[in-house]
């Protein structure tokens, strides 16, 4: 059950990353550079979290 | 490659030559011959010769053909653009010409790729090792296609959004960031979507959560900073 919840969390984080990257690029287009930088950082962290949740057993310290 | 029949070889040569010639005319020859730089014209001609040599050696020496048709062709094209200097702005005079050029280079890349021929069964290759068919060890979750399709559509949206950025320096940054983000997103979405419902190869939920603790902490911290920022504005 907990494993299923983490699966859902990884999908949600993937979608958050997608939206954050899209928002970051959009913000660059409307000259909101600080907001764009913030959203791109959010996207990178969310995507890293989504993939770290899938790290195989050998890769976990 | 060396045993390709004559008609197949012609088709391969045409696939490689036509997009290359199209890309060369639209993005290399045009700026080189529109300016008075002799060096640029020399490099442009050498680039075209490399492309022709690549197609010529395709059958007899595939490695040499690829070296001429891909590396030398692109290398001389780059040398042309560097020697043209400010004349390269001619390419950006209208939005149509760069788009046509980009399409030409895209087709050029496809032309040098290989696909399995229609009707060709890999198992019938004399070098294939016979054996029982390999059965998949697990079935994909029904959500796999949905998650991957959403990521693919979102990635196309990100690439499209980059074209909305009008300021020149930021536009370049937006395209670079969008390309990098899309590559990373598609790679991550492939891993996430195929691992849905997977039980055997993944560690326990606790260890998975611990593995992502650092990135998740950073994400929570970033959300907190963003909330404070919004409150203070």
């Amino acid at each position: 059950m907990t494993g299923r919840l983490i699966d859902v969390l990884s999908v949600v984080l993937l979608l958050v990353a997608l939206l954050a990257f899209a928002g970051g690029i959009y913000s660059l287009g409307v000259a909101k550079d600080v907001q764009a930088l913030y959203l791109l950082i959010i996207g990178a962290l969310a995507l890293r979290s989504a993939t770290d949740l899938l790290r195989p057993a050998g890769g976990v310290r | 490659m060396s045993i390709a029949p004559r008609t197949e070889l012609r088709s391969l040569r045409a696939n490689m030559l036509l997009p290359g010639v199209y890309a060369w005319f639209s993005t290399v020859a045009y700026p080189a011959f529109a300016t008075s730089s002799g060096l640029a014209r020399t490099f442009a001609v050498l680039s075209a010769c490399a492309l022709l040599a690549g197609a010529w050696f395709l059958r007899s020496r595939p490695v040499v053909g690829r070296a001429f048709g891909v590396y030398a062709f692109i290398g001389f094209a780059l040398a042309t653009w560097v020697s043209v200097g400010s004349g390269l702005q001619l390419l950006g005079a209208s939005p149509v010409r760069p788009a046509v050029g980009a399409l030409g280079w895209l087709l050029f890349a496809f032309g040098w790729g290989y696909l399995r021929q229609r009707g060709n069964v890999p198992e019938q290759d004399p070098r294939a090792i016979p054996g029982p068919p390999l059965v998949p060890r697990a079935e994909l979750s029904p959500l796999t296609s949905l998650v991957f399709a959403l990521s693919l559509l979102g990635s196309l949206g990100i690439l499209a959004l980059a074209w909305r950025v009008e300021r020149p320096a930021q536009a370049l940054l937006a395209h670079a960031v969008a390309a990098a983000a899309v590559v990373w997103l598609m790679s991550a979405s492939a891993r996430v979507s195929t691992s849905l419902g997977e039980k055997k190869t993944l560690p326990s939920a606790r260890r998975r959560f611990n593995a992502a603790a650092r990135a998740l902490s950073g994400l929570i911290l970033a959300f907190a900073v963003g909330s404070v920022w919004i409150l203070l504005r």
Side-chain angles (χ1 to χ4, degrees), chain B residues 15-39:
Chain B
N15 278 343
M16 291 164 185
L17 266 180
L18 292 178
V21 169
Y22 180 63
W24 182 81
F25 265 113
S26 55
T27 60
V28 181
Y30 174 66
F33 288 92
T35 56
S36 56
S37 167
L39 190 63

Side-chain angles (χ1 to χ4, degrees), chain A residues 48-60:
Chain A
R48 181 65 196 262
S49 308
T51 48
D52 278 357
L53 284 172
L54 303 169
R55 200 181 283 182
V60 179

Side-chain angles (χ1 to χ4, degrees), chain A residues 6-7 22 28 31 33 38 49 53-54, chain B residues 161 167 195 197 205 208 215 222 226:
Chain A
I6 291 190
D7 282 350
L28 270 179
D33 294 344
Y38 174 73
S49 308
L53 284 172
L54 303 169
Chain B
L161 278 171
R167 295 173 295 163
S195 71
R208 289 172 66 187

Side-chain angles (χ1 to χ4, degrees), chain B residues 102-197:
Chain B
L103 183 67
W105 283 102
L106 178 75
L107 293 174
F108 170 74
F110 280 127
W112 278 92
Y114 291 103
L115 286 174
R116 184 160 65 89
Q117 299 297 314
R118 188 177 292 177
N120 178 22
V121 181
E123 287 79 5
Q124 290 176 353
D125 190 294
R127 289 165 296 184
I129 300 169
L134 299 173
V135 180
R137 282 173 290 184
E139 286 189 4
L140 292 175
S141 162
L143 284 174
T144 300
S145 305
L146 180 69
V147 172
F148 192 75
L150 272 177
S151 306
L152 186 63
L153 285 175
S155 298
L156 290 174
I158 289 172
L159 289 175
L161 278 171
W163 289 98
R164 285 175 48 94
V165 184
E166 290 176 353
R167 295 173 295 163
Q170 283 81 355
L172 190 62
L173 175 70
H175 281 286
V177 170
V182 162
V183 169
W184 195 13
L185 263 171
M186 291 314 298
S187 165
S189 73
R191 286 187 64 194
V192 170
S193 59
T194 52
S195 71
L196 287 175

Side-chain angles (χ1 to χ4, degrees), chain B residues 34-118:
Chain B
T35 56
S36 56
S37 167
L39 190 63
R41 289 180 186 182
T42 308
F43 280 133
V45 171
L46 284 173
S47 175
C49 291
L51 181 69
L52 292 172
W56 178 262
F57 285 113
L58 190 62
R59 180 172 188 174
S60 55
R61 291 167 184 253
V63 177
V64 177
R66 183 168 283 265
F68 272 116
V70 178
Y71 300 111
F73 175 58
I74 294 176
F76 283 127
L78 283 172
T80 307
W81 292 327
V82 170
S83 16
V84 162
S86 59
L88 203 59
Q89 288 174 353
L90 283 168
L91 277 178
S94 79
V96 177
R97 192 171 288 276
V100 165
L103 183 67
W105 283 102
L106 178 75
L107 293 174
F108 170 74
F110 280 127
W112 278 92
Y114 291 103
L115 286 174
R116 184 160 65 89
Q117 299 297 314
R118 188 177 292 177

